[in-house]
Structures are given as structure tokens and as C-alpha cells.
Amino acid sequence: MELLRHLYKFLIAHDFILKVVTVVVAICGAILSAYTFMEQRKGRMKRIRVSLRVGRKTWKNNLLDSEVILKATNYGHRMVKLVGCCITLPGGVKIRDVELEGKPFPIELRDGDSYECCATVTKIALKLPENSNSLRAHIFLNGEFWDGTDEKFKSKRMSFCVSDYSAHKS
């Protein structure tokens, strides 16, 4: 009889351990499944980094007018076809891709590829609203690209002072 009681207690304790192990394995499986799903989803996403900066080109050892350069870099794992871009000035004024210097759209970017287009500071100064009192004040520029599905990829705002790069608004 004593032997049966010990055997019964052992089976109950063993059953509890099996249940704990089963729950731990189920939780680990759920975590692994969620991680795999997120990695696959991330691999299907379009990942474009958009940036704005100011630079100058040279031609035959001469410095040319300063330019605002809009750049898109594909750091995802799928090809993205960009169909347009613009630089947004204060007041919602936009300099569209047809006014920017760069290869014509559409542009295909594979993993690691990038594309740049630019607008001269003079062109930006001419596009500023007439009610801009002082070109010494900082303005904020935004850049964006979009693809064939109208998904937009935007840059961070860039603080910009036209007078630092151009003498006067004509």
C-alpha cells in the first residue's frame, strides 16, 4: 500500500512537471513564431531613407552655385521604383522633380542604391513667398519621394538660411 502511495505522488508530481515543460515550450514557440513573422514582414517592407543637405558642385576647378541636394537611399531588401520627388518650402510651395536637376523618373533602386537630385539656392530663393520679410531668417525645407503606389518617403526638416549661400533674392 505504501508503495502505491509513493507511486501515486510521483505520477502527480511528474504530471505537474510535464505541464510546466509543455507551457514553457509553447511560450518559446509563440515567441519564435512572432519573431519570424516580424522578420519576414520587415523583409517585404520598402525602406527608403530620405535626406536633405547643402553642397556645392565644381566644374573645371570652379565652384558653382550652392545647391540643396535631395537624396533617397534604399536600405531594404526589395527593389523600389520611385516615380517622383519634391522639396517643400515654407507656405507649401513645392519644387517638383521636373524642376530639379537629376535623372528623369521613374528610378529603380535596388538594395544599397541611392538617387540624388538638386535645386540651386537661387532657384529656392526665387520660389520663396514674396511676403518673406528677411532672407536672414531660417526657413525649413522638407524633401520627399514617392513610388507608384503613392507611398511617400519623407526627410527630416532641414533648417536653412538662404542668405548664407546666396547674395540676394532677385
Side-chain angles (χ1 to χ4, degrees):
M1 217 38 167
E2 191 67 33
L3 181 64
L4 286 176
R5 264 193 234 143
H6 286 301
L7 183 62
Y8 180 72
K9 286 181 184 180
F10 174 77
L11 289 176
I12 290 175
H14 187 66
D15 187 45
F16 176 74
I17 292 172
L18 285 177
K19 287 180 183 177
V20 168
V21 168
T22 302
V23 168
V24 168
V25 168
I27 291 172
C28 290
I31 291 170
L32 183 61
S33 176
Y35 175 77
T36 303
F37 173 76
M38 295 303 287
E39 285 297 311
Q40 286 177 346
R41 183 172 177 236
K42 191 172 24 172
R44 290 189 305 262
M45 286 176 43
K46 298 174 188 171
R47 300 175 74 177
I48 300 292
R49 181 176 295 118
V50 178
S51 61
L52 277 171
R53 63 184 165 84
V54 177
R56 293 185 89 168
K57 287 186 180 177
T58 58
W59 187 71
K60 294 187 178 180
N61 295 329
N62 295 321
L63 285 175
L64 301 177
D65 196 11
S66 296
E67 298 179 323
V68 174
I69 301 166
L70 178 61
K71 182 177 181 179
T73 304
N74 183 358
Y75 67 102
H77 295 292
R78 72 183 273 203
M79 194 270 300
V80 177
K81 187 175 194 174
L82 300 175
V83 297
C85 69
C86 71
I87 296 175
T88 306
L89 306 175
V93 176
K94 295 184 183 235
I95 300 177
R96 300 266 178 203
D97 50 80
V98 293
E99 301 174 80
L100 298 172
E101 296 173 24
K103 292 180 189 175
F105 285 95
I107 300 292
E108 290 184 357
L109 295 181
R110 289 178 173 63
D111 188 14
D113 288 351
S114 63
Y115 170 77
E116 287 185 354
C117 56
C118 54
T120 63
V121 172
T122 305
K123 183 179 281 191
I124 289 173
L126 290 171
K127 290 278 191 170
L128 285 173
E130 291 300 323
N131 61 1
S132 299
N133 311 8
S134 170
L135 292 178
R136 295 196 186 284
H138 279 83
I139 61 172
F140 291 98
L141 303 177
N142 288 315
E144 68 182 48
F145 285 88
W146 54 89
D147 66 2
T149 63
D150 289 333
E151 184 174 348
K152 293 186 178 182
F153 309 98
K154 297 183 178 187
S155 71
K156 293 181 180 177
R157 284 187 340 163
M158 181 181 88
S159 176
F160 181 74
C161 186
V162 175
S163 65
D164 289 349
Y165 300 97
S166 179
H168 295 288
K169 183 176 176 179
S170 303

